[in-house]
Amino acid sequence: MDSLIFLVPLALLIGVVALVIFLWSLRSGQYEDLDGAAERILLDEDEDRGPGA
């Protein structure tokens, strides 16, 4: 039972830190373009360079 006195506040602290990091990532625009990377992988890089490249 003594370990709960240490573990419960530690778990709450870790949860608050994770929430703060998540909110920071939302405000910094990390989730703005979710489809961009998924679509870029399908594009052929040779088409972007043009002929003779």
Side-chain angles (χ1 to χ4, degrees):
M1 201 58 145
D2 291 333
S3 62
L4 287 179
I5 295 172
F6 175 70
L7 291 176
V8 170
L10 181 65
L12 291 174
L13 178 68
I14 291 172
V16 167
V17 168
L19 180 64
V20 167
I21 291 172
F22 175 69
L23 292 175
W24 170 78
S25 69
L26 277 178
R27 291 183 186 196
S28 67
Q30 293 291 319
Y31 302 107
E32 297 261 333
D33 185 21
L34 295 177
D35 294 329
E39 291 173 2
R40 272 193 303 269
I41 198 168
L42 298 175
L43 296 177
D44 191 12
E45 291 182 14
D46 294 335
E47 292 176 1
D48 295 338
R49 293 183 191 160

